[in-house]
Amino acid sequence: MPSPVRRLSWLLPLAVLQWACPAVPDIADGGTTGPFRVGPGGGDFVRDGVLISIPPNALEEELTLTVTVTDTAIPEIPGRKRISYGYRIFPTNLVLKAPLTLRLPWQEDRLVGGVRPTAFDVRRQVGTEVVPLSGAAPEQAVSGVMTAQSDRLGLFWITSPAQPTVSALDVEPEESAVLVGQEVQLTAKVKDETGEEVPGVTVTWSVVPPRVGTVDGAGKFTATAPGHAWVTAEAAGLRAEALVRVQGTTVGPTTFVHETPFPTGNDLHGAYLSAGHAAFAGENGTILVRDPAGTWTRTFSSPGVTLTAVSGVLPSAGVAVGMAGQQGVVVDFGVGTQATFKAFPTALPRAAWFDGTHGMAVGDGNDVIVRRAGQWETEYSPSFETLLSVVGDGQGGFVTVGSLGSIYRYDPASKAWDSLFQARLSVLLNAAVLLDAAGSEAWAVGGGKLWHFAYGAWTAQNLPTSPVMDSHTSLALADDKVIIGGIKDGKGYLLWKNLATGQWKFRSMRGGQLPRGLHGAGSAALAVGELGMLWEYTSDNFAETSSGAYGDVVDLAVVTGGVFAAMNECLDPQCWVKRGSILSRGANGAWGTLGGPQPFDGEVLSVAARSPTEVYAATSNALYLFDGSAWTTLTVNGAATPLFTRMAFCEGTLWVVGPTGGTWRGSSSTGQPVQTVSAVTSGLFGPTEDLQALACANANDVWIAGNGTLLQNRSPRTSGNFRHADWRAAWSPGPGECYAFGDAPFGFYWDTTRLRVVEELGPLRPDVIHSLWGSQPDNLYAVGMSSLPSRFAFALRFDGLQWSVVDPGTAQEPLVVRGRSDTELWIGTRKGGLLRAVAP
């Protein structure tokens, strides 16, 4: 039964309301409990907490009505909750000629949080029939009361939706960034269809992956590890997420340097000799300086930059010029000083002259670049031709030669160009060199001829009849010789002519070396080109001083005490035939063949290791072990024709994957190498995709990625409408988590429960990511190639908060990255590049 105190608490405002109505509640006659009489005149009556308004002529005769209150035996309505007592009005078989009005109170302690009174209704039961009354609504003037009309008496009560009626759930802030140990207070707002917040709705919180953070019942997130955490709020059947990015504190490398080929695996385009020093410039913004003692220093490196020429007064003041995308660039450098970079949108330089004070860079574009008062600035170009060479007089005057033979001299006093030779040749010159700042003599090569400018005119000379070059790339003068770089049938050559005797000599390059730049000074000359090749002229001959192999480095294994590379070198100019080998890094950074003889007669696809005396290699159809002294073949069980792609150790187990879903594993007792691998059949769901990558958080959490698939312990990981790309790389930051990247501008991340798309990869859009490796979740590296903003090799680093571009040290395509600590990492590239991270 309702409490009299509670009943009277709402009767007072109700009585006040009724004084404004025409009929006065029948309270004095009989009180507020018990039966009451009502006739054709109708009236308002309060009985047991309910107000009954009967209109005139609703009854034909005077009757006695009774109200009883109950809290039991009231029908349950699916999806709704009763929030009032039940009020039974007798006689229940009475049908009125006009509907009466009921005002029923609800119980505050029974309300459903987040449900507005407008969603309440009034139910009526007569016999077994239960119906909602039409027109039921909250009382406008009195809170806590529902008004409804009924043409019959019976049992009446108020119901509410069992769950809040909401249309939106918002979590704020939607994204935030913190450090490990910091907190974020998240707020969930439940809103109705009008956008207004609905109070009192219960919100539950959860977070994935649990490794990254925790969240309490009030929405306070605490970061426990680096990475991305998705905090989910759930209320009234709705879900909403907030992303918290947690940045770590691990300090990782941001640049890499070549160990092989040496001095660099980047293509070199320019070289310069000065006072016993030599400077070199090329792809990936490479600037190298070698001192007279043979010590090398890298003074600059930048992805996406191509430097074509270098000049200066070494080692203190040098300049390298080139381009980055569609802009010209000038880099001032010196050994031991910070290089400075400046871009010019109207000039694309390819040659430079600099004496430490005055300088000019020339090439293509509307302008040339000149140094005045210690600053580089533009000056208009004298010709639409490509300017091939420039020489200065040390007083601000310069002379330049164009690709059609024009020669112009710049007067610093008038800031104007004078033409020394304006008639155009009928051939296109490929390379040229001026002998002095007066412009009195020059040499050039083009149209299959050697050209000499003297006495105000060009004359042509024949090149040697053997070998006949397909193209000529560069030219220099040294030791009274004209030296030319050329290419024939994809092979590089150096040719030089003794100007005194007219005799020609030549030297062929090694492997895929092609000459791109020549520089001569006195009796010395340098020839540089693709793959970091360096040949030096002395005593009427060229000798190579660069070293290194030029095969594709397809895999690396890095363990304590050893670094090993799987490399496939071309055996023919078209690279149709390759032979693989396993290289080992010496303590001094030199790379050599591991053991001998090696058993491979084709390509090597993968390498894995547990120690320097336990190294494994995989070809397409065989597995091998190097035990510190010799190579042996492993036994493979469970496949008539096994095919392999990639190997990796997950703690003590060697896993191997291959085409058409092939998976093998092998283990051994402590201290013993693996001798046998067997096909995995348990848990096999039957993938037919080529498998390309392996990763593991521990021995019981093995991830495999491949063409259109990502597997955890051989079970597929998919979510919603996501479709896997052809993954080439996988890495697990913790149990139940895995990143997958490959032939796509995006990646996937399994957060322990679902896939997430990884699209924010710094300022670039990858074409392909070949490899992933991390020492920590906040020190993860990815390598590959990108076409945007321009095509270049890239390395990315993830610090838990975001991906950022770091310098891979190479313009060749990186194929693999591996490491053994926060700062000890190596990258392998196409054409033989093996690069070591520079510790921060």
Side-chain angles (χ1 to χ4, degrees), residues 144-208:
V145 176
M146 285 292 291
T147 299
Q149 290 186 326
S150 175
D151 60 356
R152 299 192 62 175
L153 303 184
L155 175 64
F156 300 90
W157 69 96
I158 305 173
T159 72
S160 162
Q163 297 292 331
T165 304
V166 299
S167 62
L169 174 62
D170 296 335
V171 177
E172 296 178 350
E174 292 183 2
E175 289 195 21
S176 53
V178 296
L179 298 174
V180 174
Q182 292 183 335
E183 298 175 344
V184 178
Q185 181 59 60
L186 300 169
T187 302
K189 294 183 178 180
V190 181
K191 298 180 179 179
D192 61 18
E193 62 278 2
T194 68
E196 293 188 14
E197 186 173 356
V198 180
V201 181
T202 300
V203 178
T204 59
W205 297 88
S206 61
V207 61
V208 291

Side-chain angles (χ1 to χ4, degrees), residues 734-753:
E737 300 174 64
C738 189
Y739 288 97
F741 287 89
D743 288 333
F746 58 88
F748 277 179
Y749 167 60
W750 181 264
D751 68 2
T752 70
T753 61

